[in-house]
C-alpha cells in the first residue's frame, strides 16, 4: 500500500484510539464523582449521645452533697452561736460539700445540654438523609442515562476501530493507543516505510517510553484530534484531498487486492469522518 495511504490509515487509528481513551477516562471520572456525591448525600454523620445514667448519678450526688454542705454550714452557724468549739472542721467540710456538689450539678447540666444538642443534631441528620433520597434517586437515574450515552459512544468508536484493524495492516500486538501513536509519529517524522518501522530495533523501547508519558501526550492529542477532525472549517479541505488521493490510488492500482484495500480504507475513512463531525465531547 502507498506510504501516504498508510499514514492516513495510522492517523485514523490514532485519532479513534484517542477518542476511545477519552470516553473511557471521562466515563470513569464522572462515575467516581457521582458515586462520591451519592455517598456524601447518603452518609449520616451521627454523634454519640452521652449516657443519661451518668447525668442522673451526677445530678443526685451533686444535689445530696450540696444539701449536706448547706446543712453543715447552717449547723456551724447554730453551734457557733451556742459556743461549739469544733465549728471550723465542720465548716470546712460543709464548704467542700457545697463546692463538690455544685461541681457535679454543673457537670450534670452540661451533660444534659450536650445530650440535647447531640439529639437535635442526630434528628437533623435523619431529616437530611430523608430529604436527600430524591436527590440520590435523580443522580442515579441521570447517571444511568449518561452512562448509556458513554457506552454507546464507546461502542461506536470500537466498531470503527475494528473495521480499520480488520484490514490486517497492523499485527495484533500493535493494536493499542501507545503502539499506534509511536508508529504514526515515527513514520510521519521520517521517510521510513511501515515495514522498516516495525522491524526497527528501538521500536519496543520507544513504545514503552511513550507509555510512561502517555497521559500528557493524550491531552495534547485530544486538542489535535478536535481541531483536525471535529472543526469543520479545518477538516473539510483535508478530507477532500485525502478522498481524492485514495480514489486516485484505487484507480491506478492494478493489483485487485490492493485496489480493494484502498476502497476499504476510503469507506472506513468516510465513516470515521462522519463520526468525528458529531464528536463535540472532545471540545474542552
Amino acid at each position: 500500500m502507498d506510504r501516504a495511504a498508510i499514514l492516513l490509515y495510522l492517523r485514523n487509528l490514532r485519532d479513534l484510539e484517542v477518542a476511545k481513551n477519552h470516553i473511557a477516562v471521562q466515563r470513569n471520572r464522572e462515575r467516581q464523582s457521582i458515586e462520591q456525591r451519592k455517598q456524601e448525600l447518603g452518609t449520616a454523620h451521627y454523634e454519640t449521645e452521652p449516657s443519661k445514667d451518668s447525668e442522673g448519678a451526677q445530678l443526685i450526688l451533686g444535689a445530696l452533697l450540696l444539701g449536706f454542705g448547706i446543712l453543715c454550714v447552717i449547723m456551724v452557724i447554730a453551734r457557733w452561736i451556742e459556743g461549739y468549739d469544733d465549728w471550723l472542721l465542720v465548716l470546712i467540710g460543709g464548704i467542700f460539700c457545697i463546692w463538690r456538689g455544685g461541681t457535679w450539678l454543673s457537670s450534670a447540666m452540661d451533660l444534659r445540654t450536650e445530650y440535647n444538642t447531640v439529639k437535635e443534631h442526630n434528628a437533623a441528620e435523619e431529616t437530611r438523609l430523608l430529604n436527600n433520597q430524591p436527590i440520590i434517586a435523580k443522580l442515579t437515574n441521570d447517571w444511568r442515562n449518561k452512562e448509556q450515552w458513554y457506552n454507546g459512544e464507546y461502542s461506536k468508536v470500537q466498531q470503527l476501530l475494528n473495521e480499520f484493524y480488520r484490514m490486517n495492516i497492523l499485527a495484533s500486538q500493535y493494536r493499542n493507543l501507545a503502539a499506534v501513536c509511536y508508529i504514526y509519529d515515527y513514520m510521519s517524522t521520517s521517510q521510513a516505510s511501515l515495514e522498516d518501522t516495525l522491524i526497527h530495533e528501538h521500536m519496543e523501547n520507544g513504545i514503552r517510553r511513550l507509555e510512561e508519558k502517555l497521559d500528557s501526550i493524550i491531552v495534547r492529542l485530544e486538542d489535535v484530534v478536535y481541531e483536525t477532525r471535529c472543526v469543520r472549517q479545518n477538516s473539510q479541505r483535508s478530507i477532500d484531498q485525502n478522498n481524492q488521493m485514495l480514489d486516485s490510488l484505487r484507480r491506478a492500482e492494478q493489483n485487485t487486492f490492493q485496489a480493494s484495500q484502498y476502497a476499504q480504507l476510503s469507506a472506513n475513512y468516510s465513516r470515521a469522518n462522519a463520526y468525528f463531525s458529531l464528536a463535540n465531547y472532545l471540545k474542552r
Side-chain angles (χ1 to χ4, degrees):
M1 185 178 281
D2 184 81
R3 187 175 183 278
I6 290 288
L7 283 173
L8 179 62
Y9 171 81
L10 291 170
R11 185 162 71 86
N12 275 274
L13 288 180
R14 182 203 66 179
D15 294 351
L16 289 168
E17 287 285 1
V18 167
K20 185 178 78 168
N21 180 83
H22 178 86
I23 293 169
V25 169
Q26 289 300 114
R27 179 180 57 192
N28 293 337
R29 187 176 296 163
E30 191 164 346
R31 179 191 293 117
Q32 291 174 0
S33 176
I34 292 294
E35 290 302 321
Q36 182 178 353
R37 179 61 177 154
K38 286 167 61 178
Q39 185 176 8
E40 291 173 354
L41 292 170
T43 301
H45 303 286
Y46 293 123
E47 294 182 1
T48 303
E49 297 179 358
S51 173
K52 296 203 72 175
D53 294 338
S54 176
E55 175 199 343
Q58 290 191 25
L59 188 63
I60 293 171
L61 289 174
L64 289 174
L65 279 176
L66 183 62
F68 181 75
I70 293 173
L71 181 61
C72 287
V73 172
I74 293 173
M75 288 176 60
V76 166
I77 293 174
R79 295 288 185 177
W80 178 70
I81 293 173
E82 297 176 5
Y84 182 61
D85 294 333
D86 295 329
W87 63 268
L88 183 60
L89 183 63
V90 177
L91 179 63
I92 292 173
I95 293 174
F96 173 80
C97 289
I98 292 173
W99 169 77
R100 191 57 181 162
T103 302
W104 277 349
L105 282 175
S106 176
S107 179
M109 297 304 295
D110 290 342
L111 280 173
R112 175 167 293 184
T113 301
E114 181 184 356
Y115 176 83
N116 292 333
T117 301
V118 170
K119 191 173 181 179
E120 290 175 3
H121 170 81
N122 291 344
E125 282 295 292
E126 288 285 355
T127 302
R128 184 181 67 84
L129 289 181
L130 287 174
N131 293 336
N132 286 344
Q133 291 309 306
I135 302 175
I136 294 173
K138 186 177 186 305
L139 285 172
T140 301
N141 186 63
D142 290 347
W143 169 244
R144 187 181 298 114
N145 295 331
K146 190 64 177 290
E147 188 175 34
Q148 288 178 354
W149 179 84
Y150 275 124
N151 293 339
E153 292 299 305
Y154 190 91
S155 296
K156 290 177 187 177
V157 177
Q158 187 61 64
Q159 185 176 357
L160 287 169
L161 278 168
N162 291 341
E163 292 295 328
F164 277 97
Y165 284 133
R166 270 195 285 268
M167 295 179 67
N168 289 327
I169 295 174
L170 278 184
S172 59
Q173 66 265 35
Y174 302 126
R175 298 178 183 182
N176 58 75
L177 177 57
V180 168
C181 285
Y182 180 82
I183 295 170
Y184 175 75
D185 186 66
Y186 187 87
M187 285 189 63
S188 63
T189 56
S190 69
Q191 293 300 316
S193 66
L194 179 61
E195 291 76 12
D196 292 339
T197 302
L198 294 179
I199 62 174
H200 193 278
E201 60 180 351
H202 298 303
M203 180 175 170
E204 297 299 332
N205 288 333
I207 293 174
R208 282 195 292 271
R209 288 197 303 272
L210 189 146
E211 286 175 335
E212 293 173 357
K213 54 183 180 180
L214 193 58
D215 289 343
S216 60
I217 292 174
I218 288 173
V219 173
R220 176 179 59 82
L221 287 178
E222 286 175 355
D223 292 335
V224 171
V225 172
Y226 178 76
E227 288 295 327
T228 59
R229 304 302 295 266
C230 303
V231 180
R232 189 71 177 175
Q233 60 267 31
N234 293 344
S235 60
Q236 191 56 51
R237 178 179 296 180
S238 176
I239 291 172
D240 293 340
Q241 291 175 346
N242 289 329
N243 283 330
Q244 291 174 5
M245 175 195 70
L246 291 174
D247 186 59
S248 176
L249 289 171
R250 181 181 61 81
R251 292 176 182 275
E253 183 58 57
Q254 300 298 316
N255 184 291
T256 304
F257 175 74
Q258 290 287 343
S260 67
Q261 277 201 310
Y262 288 129
Q264 184 63 50
L265 177 55
S266 179
N268 290 341
Y269 180 52
S270 295
R271 283 191 284 269
N273 289 330
Y275 176 78
F276 279 115
S277 68
L278 302 174
N280 291 325
Y281 60 82
L282 287 169
K283 184 177 182 180
R284 294 189 181 280

